[in-house]
Amino acid sequence: MIKACTNGNLGDDLFVRIILERYKSSPIQFFLLVYKIEDYQYLLNEYPKLVLIKYPTPKMLLRILAKLQESLAHSSRLKQYGYEKAYHPLFDEKFDIFINIGGSQFTEYEGESFLLSLYLEELMIRNIKAKTMLLINVNFGPFVTEKYKEKCEAVFKKYSRIIFRDQYSAQLFSKISQVTYIPDIVLGFDFKKRIGEDITQEEMIGINVINLWENKRTYQERKKYIENYEKTIHAVIDYITKLKMKVCIIGFSSEKSEEIYINHIIACAKRRNPFVVIKKCIYNGKNINEVFRCIAECRGLLSTRFHALIIGMALGKCQYPICYDSKLTNFIKSINYTDPYSLLNDISSPEDIADYLIHGNPSDYKHVIDASKEHFTFMDLAIIE
């Protein structure tokens, strides 16, 4: 059984594909939890032994009543009951291995009283029937209260193995004997095998963006920096196109809002210069190889999303990350990243960013890529045995 954040995000979907690809020729049958079956039906063409299971949700009436209870009585009891009832059939099943691809789901922000994500983690780990339980490729935080950390620690202790993808998280829970630090699993993926060796690098700069207005949980914390982030993106586009180089805006989410946001960026660029030509490459769930090839063809990559940075490193790209979240800065510190980057609250000049993307030479991170493959050592031991 694989549990992952199946919301149509390239990074999260790639986690799943990496596991399915590695054990494709084995007789093992995988079950994958998804939010919408129809959005992941395409995986069955590549992995016929895969079984898709919809994430359980309470019935509509119970959801309405739970929302009323939350707003009027500030209680989450009905919500908890609804999910316990919905998940019960899943807990009747027996699995050899439960793989939870954690990602960034263990986070807490100011003012949050009841976190459904943590409650479901607690519910799952208490009731899932599996001989081996792995929590892999996960980072912890940000978090606000010690109580939240303690609750997560209680969850972590129930796993056979926990693999954090940054040293900060691993050190925070170093007293748990099952904890290991291994760099992000995507670094060890063989992209060239997937897309072929016949890639011609173009005089093109890729710009990976994220719509920072959308995330309600982090908006208050980031809102004063978003305008400058967007001004920087626009200025980098203008600088590069004035040099007659190509620009490609790269999106990592299949949500419609991602395409709308990218189209808006392109429309603004065209208003400033009606003759400018800007490509776009947006992940839609089925075109993952196309996105990989697009990044591989770029001379440089301005990366905002975490896995744009990771994929760029794996492909040896000259890139400039803008770290919008602590998971990026914690990862960068963990691997002793030596190339230029900016924090969201202190972004370098657009000219410096563009100049590095055009003329810079990336450091060699082969040692980090090799280290990330240790994920498979633990999974092979659990799955093949």
Side-chain angles (χ1 to χ4, degrees):
M1 161 74 77
I2 299 174
K3 178 183 177 293
C5 182
T6 46
N7 270 326
N9 178 282
L10 185 145
D12 296 316
D13 289 356
L14 184 52
F15 298 157
V16 173
R17 280 180 172 273
I18 286 170
I19 294 173
L20 296 177
E21 195 71 33
R22 184 166 184 86
Y23 305 106
K24 190 175 182 178
S25 59
S26 76
I28 301 162
Q29 183 168 45
F30 284 98
F31 298 80
L32 174 65
L33 284 164
V34 297
Y35 294 106
K36 293 180 182 176
I37 296 280
E38 61 273 20
D39 287 354
Y40 286 85
Q41 202 79 34
Y42 67 91
L43 283 175
L44 303 181
N45 297 326
E46 286 186 70
Y47 312 103
K49 293 195 292 288
L50 178 65
V51 176
L52 302 176
I53 301 175
K54 190 177 184 302
Y55 271 107
T57 52
K59 292 183 178 178
M60 178 67 76
L61 178 60
L62 203 50
R63 294 207 304 272
I64 293 168
L65 292 172
K67 198 166 186 177
L68 281 170
Q69 186 189 54
E70 276 188 314
S71 59
L72 299 174
H74 306 291
S75 170
S76 58
R77 293 289 296 277
L78 265 178
K79 181 180 273 190
Q80 292 178 34
Y81 170 76
Y83 277 97
E84 284 172 16
K85 195 172 176 62
Y87 270 75
H88 186 74
L90 182 64
F91 299 144
D92 286 339
E93 301 294 330
K94 291 182 180 179
F95 303 97
D96 292 307
I97 301 165
F98 173 57
I99 302 174
N100 185 351
I101 307 173
S104 303
Q105 60 187 316
F106 292 97
T107 57
E108 179 196 30
Y109 293 94
E110 201 68 53
E112 295 179 325
S113 54
F114 172 72
L115 283 168
L116 179 62
S117 59
L118 177 57
Y119 174 73
L120 292 178
E121 290 296 331
E122 293 171 324
L123 184 68
M124 184 73 83
I125 201 66
R126 278 199 314 266
N127 296 284
I128 196 78
K129 294 182 178 72
K131 297 172 188 173
T132 303
M133 295 189 286
L134 304 177
L135 175 59
I136 67 169
N137 215 51
V138 62
N139 57 268
F140 181 77
F143 72 104
V144 179
T145 63
E146 198 62 28
K147 184 180 178 181
Y148 178 79
K149 177 178 173 283
E150 288 168 2
K151 283 188 170 186
C152 291
E153 187 168 12
V155 169
F156 297 157
K157 284 179 177 178
K158 293 185 180 346
Y159 280 93
S160 313
R161 176 69 61 179
I162 308 107
I163 302 176
F164 286 110
R165 59 185 177 183
D166 66 84
Q167 288 183 344
Y168 164 80
S169 301
Q171 287 166 4
L172 208 56
F173 298 97
S174 59
K175 290 182 180 178
I176 302 175
S177 61
Q178 307 95 293
V179 163
T180 304
Y181 158 66
I182 302 175
D184 195 277
I185 194 171
V186 171
L187 281 163
F189 185 63
D190 191 342
F191 288 93
K192 289 184 178 177
K193 183 180 177 183
R194 182 86 190 184
I195 61 177
E197 299 279 351
D198 58 329
I199 302 293
T200 303
Q201 184 172 284
E202 299 183 25
E203 287 301 297
M204 177 169 70
I205 300 298
I207 299 180
N208 166 253
V209 295
I210 186 170
N211 185 351
L212 295 171
W213 301 98
E214 266 198 331
N215 193 323
K216 293 177 182 177
R217 294 182 70 197
T218 60
Y219 172 70
Q220 289 302 321
E221 182 184 311
R222 298 170 182 163
K223 65 179 180 180
K224 58 186 173 185
Y225 309 119
I226 297 175
E227 190 176 339
N228 184 52
Y229 165 73
E230 293 186 339
K231 281 182 179 177
T232 301
I233 296 297
H234 289 298
V236 169
I237 291 171
D238 291 346
Y239 188 95
I240 292 165
T241 53
K242 279 177 184 174
L243 296 174
K244 308 300 180 187
M245 290 185 73
K246 298 177 187 175
V247 169
C248 182
I249 311 293
I250 302 168
F252 270 32
S253 172
S254 61
E255 292 287 330
K256 187 67 181 171
S257 58
E258 183 94 340
E259 186 171 8
I260 291 169
Y261 186 65
I262 287 173
N263 285 343
H264 174 70
I265 291 171
I266 294 172
C268 289
K270 285 183 176 294
R271 280 198 294 271
R272 295 191 300 273
N273 178 1
F275 303 104
V276 73
V277 177
I278 299 176
K279 291 173 62 179
K280 64 179 177 181
C281 182
I282 305 171
Y283 178 62
N284 63 18
K286 301 174 185 177
N287 66 339
I288 198 163
N289 289 350
E290 181 188 331
V291 180
F292 295 160
R293 288 186 72 90
C294 177
I295 294 172
E297 288 168 358
C298 290
R299 164 70 184 88
L301 176 66
L302 192 163
S303 51
T304 308
R305 285 190 182 268
F306 182 49
H307 280 97
L309 167 62
I310 298 292
I311 295 169
M313 285 177 64
L315 289 170
K317 294 288 109 180
C318 175
Q319 62 180 326
Y320 193 101
I322 296 178
C323 301
Y324 75 97
D325 189 272
S326 61
K327 66 182 174 185
L328 280 95
T329 50
N330 288 338
F331 170 76
I332 277 173
K333 289 173 185 174
S334 297
I335 64 165
N336 296 318
Y337 190 81
T338 53
D339 294 327
Y341 67 92
S342 284
L343 304 180
L344 184 65
N345 61 359
D346 186 23
I347 302 177
S348 294
S349 74
E351 294 77 16
D352 286 348
I353 294 171
D355 188 64
Y356 179 74
L357 291 172
I358 296 167
H359 303 294
N361 290 302
S363 300
D364 184 356
Y365 294 103
K366 186 179 181 302
H367 62 291
V368 184
I369 292 169
D370 290 342
S372 76
K373 295 173 184 177
E374 283 297 307
H375 277 274
F376 302 121
T377 302
F378 289 104
M379 284 198 294
D380 287 352
L381 282 171
I383 292 172
I384 296 172
E385 287 189 358

